Amino acid sequence: SQFPLRLQSAISTDGLTWIPEGIRIADDVVDFAVVARPGGGFRAYYIVSPTPHSAPLPVVSAVSADGLNWTPEAGTRHPGVLYFTASRLDDETVVLSYATDFLSTLSARSSDGLSFTNDAGVRMLPGNHPDSNPQESGTNLLSSFVQFPDGRVRVYYQGSSTGDISNPARIFSAVAASRHAAAPLGPSN
């Protein structure tokens, strides 16, 4: 086992050669996402667990002015997820896309980055690929998402043919019609 895990950083001037900088958050971090804060600095969202987890755990956060020195914030940002990704959209809304099982992708939004409200409905389900690709039929694991200038949001995710996340997976993507869309994401290649 690779536990305990720590949130660490590395720096690069060319994107190819990386120099480790050290531990940034010493808790047992098993999943995390870092977003820029309006006005400067960063907020890290993360799950703490001393061992691999198979039940949902709370998402907590820490803030940093420089991305190196972090101060944990009081409280939880979301009561329980298995895994997640977070991004700040161009309107400053922070979107947390998450799963409470290895099947359904859900989402929550926050205007201040601290208090999240769950969106109604499911964003994605396994097996919704237009070609009914079996690699996507068992599990969706979120990786990241980006917003295009026209407001659409693309999520990149791993699809596995079974519910076992240790099986081979492929990378897929899906696009939401707009940053405000609470309707499920539509799959695409």
Side-chain angles (χ1 to χ4, degrees):
S1 172
Q2 298 295 321
F3 283 83
L5 301 175
R6 308 290 189 244
L7 181 58
Q8 302 182 52
S9 66
I11 192 165
S12 175
T13 58
D14 62 6
L16 300 172
T17 305
W18 294 88
I19 301 167
E21 297 178 303
I23 295 171
R24 298 297 155 224
I25 298 177
D27 294 331
D28 296 314
V29 176
V30 293
D31 198 4
F32 74 94
V34 176
V35 299
R37 295 174 65 195
F42 305 92
R43 177 170 279 122
Y45 299 97
Y46 56 102
I47 298 171
V48 176
S49 178
T51 61
H53 66 287
S54 59
L57 295 171
V59 175
V60 296
S61 63
V63 293
S64 174
D66 60 8
L68 299 174
N69 301 295
W70 294 87
T71 303
E73 297 180 293
T76 61
R77 302 305 141 234
H78 195 279
V81 305
L82 279 177
Y83 58 89
F84 73 98
T85 187
S87 184
R88 181 175 297 283
L89 302 180
D90 64 359
D91 67 353
E92 303 301 336
T93 299
V94 177
V95 177
L96 187 74
S97 293
Y98 65 94
T100 57
D101 56 33
F102 288 110
L103 300 174
S104 304
T105 300
L106 309 170
S107 63
R109 295 169 191 266
S110 173
S111 60
D112 64 4
L114 296 172
S115 299
F116 284 83
T117 301
N118 289 333
D119 292 325
V122 174
R123 302 287 74 74
M124 290 192 318
L125 289 169
N128 66 354
H129 193 273
D131 299 328
S132 297
N133 191 309
Q135 282 290 74
E136 193 203 23
S137 62
T139 302
N140 287 343
L141 297 176
L142 292 170
S143 296
S144 64
F145 59 98
V146 295
Q147 183 174 16
F148 298 116
D150 66 3
R152 293 177 304 136
V153 177
R154 179 179 300 273
V155 64
Y156 294 92
Y157 62 98
Q158 298 173 23
S160 174
S161 60
T162 71
D164 182 354
I165 62 171
S166 63
N167 281 339
R170 291 177 42 186
I171 297 174
F172 295 91
S173 70
V175 177
S178 77
R179 69 173 173 253
H180 300 294
L185 295 167
S188 67
N189 277 326

